[in-house]
C-alpha cells in the first residue's frame, strides 16, 4: 500500500508542478474567494493555515481573509522528525524557517490547538481520504488533538487535478471533513 500511495503522490505532485505559475496564482485566488463564503466560523476561532511550499495552493490571501473575519491564525512548525505543533501567527510576527521547507512563527509564539485545520496534501478522493507528503505529521498532530478531546474540522486544500479515483486507506489515516479547490468546497461529512 505504501508503494501505491507513493506512486499516486508522485503522479499528483508532478501534475501540480506542471501548472504554469500564472495559472496557479489565479487558481489560488479563486480558492481564496470561494473560501470566503464556504468556511464558516465564529470570531476567535483558531484556524491553522500553512505557508505554501513548492507548487502548493497559496492560501495566504485566504488566511488574510479569515483573519479579517476574526479568525485567530496559526501555522504548523516541525519540531522533530515525528512532530509538528501549531504556533500562533500574529499579523506582524516575523517568520523563520520551521522545517520541511516552510516558514512559520518562532519559538516565542504560543502553541495553540486549532479548531479548523486547512490541510495541505498531495492527493484526495471523493471519500475524504488524503495522501500527504509521506511523513505522517498531520495524522499524528490530529491524533494528539483527539487525545486531548479536541476534534478539529479538517479542510483539505488542493487543486482539482489532485483528485484521484481512490486513495488506498490505512488504519492510521484520518479522513477530511471537506476539500476546498478552485471548483468550491466539497463536504465529505457534516
Amino acid at each position: 500500500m505504501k508503494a501505491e500511495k507513493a506512486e499516486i503522490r508522485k503522479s499528483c505532485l508532478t501534475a501540480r508542478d506542471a501548472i504554469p505559475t500564472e495559472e496557479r496564482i489565479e487558481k489560488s485566488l479563486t480558492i481564496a474567494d470561494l473560501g470566503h463564503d464556504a468556511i464558516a466560523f465564529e470570531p476567535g476561532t483558531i484556524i491553522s493555515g500553512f505557508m505554501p511550499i513548492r507548487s502548493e495552493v497559496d492560501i495566504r490571501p485566504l488566511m488574510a481573509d479569515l483573519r479579517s473575519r476574526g479568525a485567530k491564525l496559526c501555522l504548523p512548525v516541525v519540531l522533530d522528525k515525528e512532530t509538528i505543533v501549531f504556533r500562533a501567527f500574529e499579523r506582524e510576527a516575523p517568520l523563520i524557517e520551521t522545517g520541511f521547507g516552510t516558514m512559520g512563527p518562532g519559538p516565542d509564539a504560543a502553541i495553540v490547538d486549532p479548531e479548523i485545520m486547512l490541510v495541505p496534501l498531495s492527493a484526495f478522493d471523493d471519500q475524504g481520504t488524503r495522501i500527504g507528503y509521506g511523513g505522517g505529521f498531520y495524522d499524528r498532530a490530529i491524533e494528539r488533538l483527539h487525545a486531548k478531546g479536541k476534534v478539529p474540522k479538517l479542510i483539505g486544500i488542493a487543486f482539482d487535478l489532485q483528485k484521484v479515483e481512490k486513495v488506498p486507506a490505512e488504519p492510521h489515516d484520518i479522513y477530511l471533513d471537506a476539500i476546498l479547490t478552485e471548483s468550491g468546497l466539497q463536504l465529505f461529512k457534516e
Side-chain angles (χ1 to χ4, degrees):
M1 193 171 297
K2 287 187 189 293
E4 186 179 359
K5 280 187 170 183
E7 186 55 40
I8 293 170
R9 179 182 301 112
K10 180 180 177 184
S11 174
C12 286
L13 292 180
T14 298
R16 190 181 76 185
D17 290 345
I19 300 172
T21 301
E22 296 80 16
E23 185 179 337
R24 193 166 40 249
I25 291 168
E26 287 303 316
K27 288 176 186 282
S28 293
L29 290 171
T30 298
I31 289 168
D33 288 344
L34 293 168
H36 176 81
D37 292 327
I39 301 174
F41 61 91
E42 295 295 321
T45 299
I46 300 171
I47 301 177
S48 70
F50 55 89
M51 290 295 172
I53 59 172
R54 301 186 297 260
S55 59
E56 282 181 337
V57 174
D58 185 348
I59 65 165
R60 289 175 290 186
L62 175 57
M63 289 191 300
D65 175 68
L66 297 172
R67 177 180 274 138
S68 75
R69 293 168 45 209
K72 293 185 177 188
L73 298 179
C74 60
L75 295 172
V77 174
V78 177
L79 292 185
D80 56 43
K81 291 180 181 182
E82 296 287 318
T83 310
I84 59 171
V85 295
F86 297 90
R87 289 186 183 153
F89 177 36
E90 302 300 332
R91 188 181 305 273
E92 301 301 322
L95 299 178
I96 63 169
E97 289 185 27
T98 55
F100 211 62
T102 191
M103 306 288 285
D108 292 342
I111 294 176
V112 297
D113 294 331
E115 299 163 82
I116 298 174
M117 296 174 70
L118 305 180
V119 183
L121 51 89
S122 298
F124 68 95
D125 66 19
D126 272 331
Q127 289 71 50
T129 313
R130 66 178 273 277
I131 296 177
Y133 293 113
F137 287 102
Y138 272 85
D139 289 331
R140 287 188 297 276
I142 295 164
E143 285 174 1
R144 282 192 303 279
L145 289 169
H146 288 173
K148 293 168 130 180
K150 300 182 184 290
V151 183
K153 182 175 183 176
L154 307 177
I155 303 173
I157 304 289
F159 296 115
D160 286 332
L161 62 73
Q162 292 173 254
K163 182 178 177 181
V164 298
E165 187 174 326
K166 179 86 172 122
V167 170
E170 297 180 80
H172 68 272
D173 288 336
I174 296 173
Y175 292 80
L176 299 169
D177 296 293
I179 186 82
L180 180 61
T181 71
E182 69 270 25
S183 292
L185 185 76
Q186 178 184 353
L187 297 175
F188 301 118
K189 54 187 175 183
E190 292 292 326

